[in-house]
Amino acid sequence: MENNNFIIKASNQMNRLPNQFFSTLVGKVNGFINAGYDVINLGQGNPDLPTPPHIVQSLQKAVENPINHKYPPFTGKIELKKAICTWYQNEHGVTLDPEKEVAILFGTKTGLIQLSQILLNPGDMALVPDPGYPDYWSGIAIAGAEMVPMPLNSTKGFSPDFSTLTPYQRKHTKLMFLNYPSNPTGACATSSFFDEAICFAEKNNIVIAHDFAYGAIGFDGHKPISYLSRPGAKDVGIEFYTLSKTYNMAGWRVGFALGNQELIRLINELQDHYFVSLFGGIQDAAITALTSSQGSVRELVDTYELRRNALFEELNKIGWNAPLPKGSFFAWLPIPKGYTSSHFADTLLEKGKVVVAPGIGFGKYGEGYVRVGFLTEEERIREAVQRISKLSIF
């Protein structure tokens, strides 16, 4: 018999969590798909291509190894940590200690949220890029801290202006999130910007968390810069990397945090209370990804660049002008006058059956834009813009 007097009440921590803006968009999209419409989804951030076969085969073999049927080491296999360090040295010229400067993560999203829990108390502040990846907000909310947006705009190359922060904000801020190549803008950081950020962080005792999720994806011969490659970076912060984008391993949930030894120690300590590291077979496959030929990565970046070029070729035909993104697999496009980003996205979906992500979902300063991904075939990207052209919006 049901007891109507029994009430389950969520904690304050749960009630502080931000709304998942994009769950509403997904619901709308699925409604059209379920009704039988041919929908072209340029709003997603989920890689569409499969994991390279040699990595899959490595996992298949690793699954049969009885050692991987046991609990893995709490902080991850040292072999994977060494592979990460070798890869970072080869790719970015960064030297890391596998024992003290590497933490294995269940995807970087987990680590980014954990870092706020590790560092922030109620009343503390954290700086976030706006527009930026919405999951930065979640960890800050869980910690009961205050989020301070750093506006990003095209006039400054979508990098924050630290001079606009007040003395009060500087005093109470403990953590700053950065993300280059940027989701959603596609902008890349310069060495001078990272140097400026490190100087600012050191002066104000602020930890930098650089989200390098799209670090392998640079266009027109540009190689994105690792935050850790800059002098003093480890003194004030860490960098997060994931295999999701580089190797199309989004569902495998393999990421890592790198850099400052005390921050790495704290992440490992917190994770000891949550997890017993990743399944050993996935760690073995991650080693294969990092230590074998990187030809599949170069092919992937070439594919994204061809898709980007196809998108902008079609956009230019209809007069939808925007700067070419230098990295990531996203374009950040200004919307026509007379629309909000949500209204514009709804219009494209309802009338053209084309999905884009409204900029307001990435923060207040994302209004006026939509994010478009290169995560479908070139022909479908061209068709999407051709559908939009028939709506007589531009």
Side-chain angles (χ1 to χ4, degrees):
M1 186 173 184
E2 189 172 314
N3 184 352
N4 293 326
N5 295 321
F6 185 80
I7 299 173
I8 296 175
K9 187 175 181 181
S11 68
N12 292 336
Q13 175 177 282
M14 290 299 296
N15 290 328
R16 288 195 299 265
L17 286 172
N19 293 326
Q20 286 287 0
F21 179 89
F22 292 102
S23 63
T24 303
L25 175 63
V26 170
K28 291 178 183 177
V29 172
N30 288 339
F32 281 96
I33 292 174
N34 293 337
Y37 289 99
D38 176 28
V39 175
I40 301 177
N41 193 345
L42 303 183
Q44 65 181 354
N46 193 5
D48 64 307
L49 296 171
T51 305
H54 69 285
I55 302 173
V56 175
Q57 291 162 8
S58 176
L59 176 61
Q60 291 169 337
K61 181 179 179 181
V63 167
E64 296 177 350
N65 186 345
I67 194 68
N68 288 324
H69 304 168
K70 301 176 182 293
Y71 290 124
F74 268 73
T75 61
K77 292 188 175 187
I78 187 61
E79 295 84 0
L80 175 55
K81 294 181 180 183
K82 288 179 178 178
I84 291 165
C85 293
T86 299
W87 187 89
Y88 243 76
Q89 181 66 58
N90 292 339
E91 293 292 324
H92 302 291
V94 174
T95 301
L96 293 162
D97 182 338
E99 296 278 5
K100 298 180 179 179
E101 296 180 334
V102 180
I104 308 300
L105 307 171
F106 281 75
T108 54
K109 174 177 177 175
T110 301
L112 290 163
I113 292 173
Q114 289 171 341
L115 188 62
S116 289
Q117 296 173 271
I118 286 166
L119 294 177
L120 302 177
N121 294 308
D124 291 334
M125 292 181 170
L127 305 175
V128 296
D130 187 347
Y133 181 47
D135 281 329
Y136 303 145
W137 314 344
S138 303
I140 299 168
I142 290 172
E146 181 180 346
M147 184 172 68
V148 179
M150 297 186 293
L152 309 182
N153 57 66
S154 58
T155 58
K156 205 173 183 296
F158 295 106
S159 61
D161 183 353
F162 301 130
S163 69
T164 63
L165 296 167
T166 67
Y168 182 86
Q169 290 170 333
R170 296 181 184 214
K171 180 180 178 181
H172 289 85
T173 294
K174 285 189 175 180
L175 176 61
M176 171 169 57
F177 289 98
L178 298 175
N179 170 216
Y180 295 100
S182 164
N183 174 15
T185 70
C188 290
T190 62
S191 296
S192 60
F193 169 73
F194 277 144
D195 293 344
E196 178 189 359
I198 291 166
C199 181
F200 173 81
E202 185 175 32
K203 182 178 180 181
N204 293 281
N205 202 37
I206 296 171
V207 168
I208 291 177
H210 180 236
D211 181 359
F212 203 32
Y214 304 90
I217 307 172
F219 303 129
D220 305 315
H222 171 76
K223 184 179 180 65
I225 299 168
S226 164
Y227 158 79
L228 289 179
S229 69
R230 303 309 303 159
K234 289 183 190 178
D235 296 335
V236 296
I238 55 177
E239 185 157 77
F240 291 87
Y241 200 89
T242 174
L243 304 193
S244 296
K245 282 72 178 178
T246 307
Y247 302 100
N248 290 327
M249 294 173 66
W252 300 54
R253 311 314 302 139
V254 187
F256 31 91
L258 310 163
N260 183 275
Q261 293 186 13
E262 178 61 10
L263 293 172
I264 296 301
R265 186 192 69 78
L266 289 168
I267 290 173
N268 282 327
E269 182 178 337
L270 180 62
Q271 291 199 136
D272 279 351
H273 293 274
Y274 281 130
F275 314 118
V276 188
S277 194
L278 293 170
F279 169 54
I282 288 181
Q283 294 191 54
D284 289 348
I287 293 170
T288 297
L290 293 165
T291 59
S292 57
S293 168
Q294 301 298 294
S296 63
V297 180
R298 291 187 288 272
E299 291 174 7
L300 180 65
V301 175
D302 288 345
T303 296
Y304 287 144
E305 186 162 350
L306 288 172
R307 292 176 176 183
R308 180 203 66 164
N309 294 345
L311 171 67
F312 277 81
E313 182 180 325
E314 297 298 325
L315 292 176
N316 289 336
K317 291 179 183 177
I318 67 174
W320 193 353
N321 299 314
L324 281 169
K326 295 181 179 179
S328 81
F329 43 55
F330 299 119
W332 189 235
L333 307 178
I335 63 176
K337 292 182 179 179
Y339 290 91
T340 65
S341 60
S342 293
H343 180 206
F344 184 69
D346 286 344
T347 299
L348 297 191
L349 175 59
E350 292 165 7
K351 296 184 178 180
K353 307 303 181 287
V354 174
V355 183
V356 297
I360 192 64
F362 301 94
K364 172 184 175 182
Y365 295 94
E367 185 55 81
Y369 290 84
V370 291
R371 190 192 72 179
V372 174
F374 319 141
L375 302 174
T376 191
E377 298 88 350
E378 184 178 325
E379 295 76 14
R380 294 286 277 174
I381 291 173
R382 292 184 185 275
E383 182 185 345
V385 181
Q386 290 162 10
R387 289 187 188 184
I388 295 170
S389 70
K390 296 176 182 177
L391 303 181
S392 302
I393 292 174
F394 294 92

